[in-house]
Amino acid sequence: MSTTVTKMIATFFGAGLLKPAPGTWGSLAALPAFWVLHVVGGFPLVVVATIAAYFIGVWATKRETAGKDNHDPSEIVIDEVVGQWIALWPLSFGAAHVGANVLALYPGWIVGFALFRLFDITKWGPVGWADKRNDATGVMLDDVIAGIFAAIGVIIFAVLYHVVILA
């Protein structure tokens, strides 16, 4: 495949080329894509697309960083897309489970976005371990872990909201 295709994938259709903070732009670009996936195929499609994006992201990142010193250039944001989607999995699952419009769960979108960016930027614990791998898998894996942490935070927030505030 041409470098143009891998660059399009790695930058998530150019979102990673936006300045400043390309990782934040990549995370923002992930939101409407997530919504489309959820509307078209619900939680199952969101999960399949996330897994596919992970493996395609590893491949594209390997191609884009081959022969370069920097194995995680800021314009590569497919990792942020995957992590952001994982952070929002509880919303897709919950909306499908209760038959709600996923957009009606907007507080969860805000929490998922904020927590994912927090964990991705601070590289806390296992996120930092994965980031230190200095290869395409590490580029993707640190955001997967940040996404899992954020998803757990979304679940905790939802439980607190429903049990404490709405009780």
Side-chain angles (χ1 to χ4, degrees):
M1 291 215 156
S2 75
T3 311
T4 305
V5 172
T6 58
K7 188 171 189 101
M8 181 182 64
I9 293 166
T11 64
F12 199 63
F13 308 100
L17 301 174
L18 298 172
K19 303 289 182 212
T24 300
W25 287 109
S27 296
L28 284 170
L31 300 177
F34 176 88
W35 175 78
V36 168
L37 291 168
H38 176 81
V39 168
V40 169
F43 183 64
L45 181 59
V46 166
V47 171
V48 168
T50 304
I51 293 167
Y54 172 82
F55 287 107
I56 292 167
V58 169
W59 170 78
T61 300
K62 275 185 192 173
R63 297 279 305 244
E64 286 297 308
T65 59
K68 297 177 182 170
D69 290 336
N70 186 357
H71 293 286
D72 194 3
S74 62
E75 68 268 10
I76 293 180
V77 296
I78 187 64
D79 52 329
E80 272 83 6
V81 172
V82 170
Q84 187 64 71
W85 287 354
I86 292 169
L88 300 177
W89 279 11
L91 301 178
S92 181
F93 180 82
H97 182 68
V98 299
N101 179 336
V102 74
L103 293 177
L105 307 177
Y106 70 89
W109 288 76
I110 296 166
V111 170
F113 179 81
L115 287 178
F116 173 69
R117 293 308 301 143
L118 174 70
F119 291 125
D120 185 32
I121 291 166
T122 61
K123 306 285 186 219
W124 175 77
V127 179
W129 165 82
D131 186 58
K132 290 179 183 136
R133 285 180 51 109
N134 289 324
D135 62 5
T137 299
V139 169
M140 297 298 294
L141 191 58
D142 76 310
D143 291 276
V144 167
I145 296 167
I148 291 168
F149 286 163
I152 292 167
V154 168
I155 292 166
I156 291 168
F157 174 82
V159 167
L160 289 173
Y161 179 78
H162 289 283
V163 171
V164 175
I165 296 174
L166 294 181

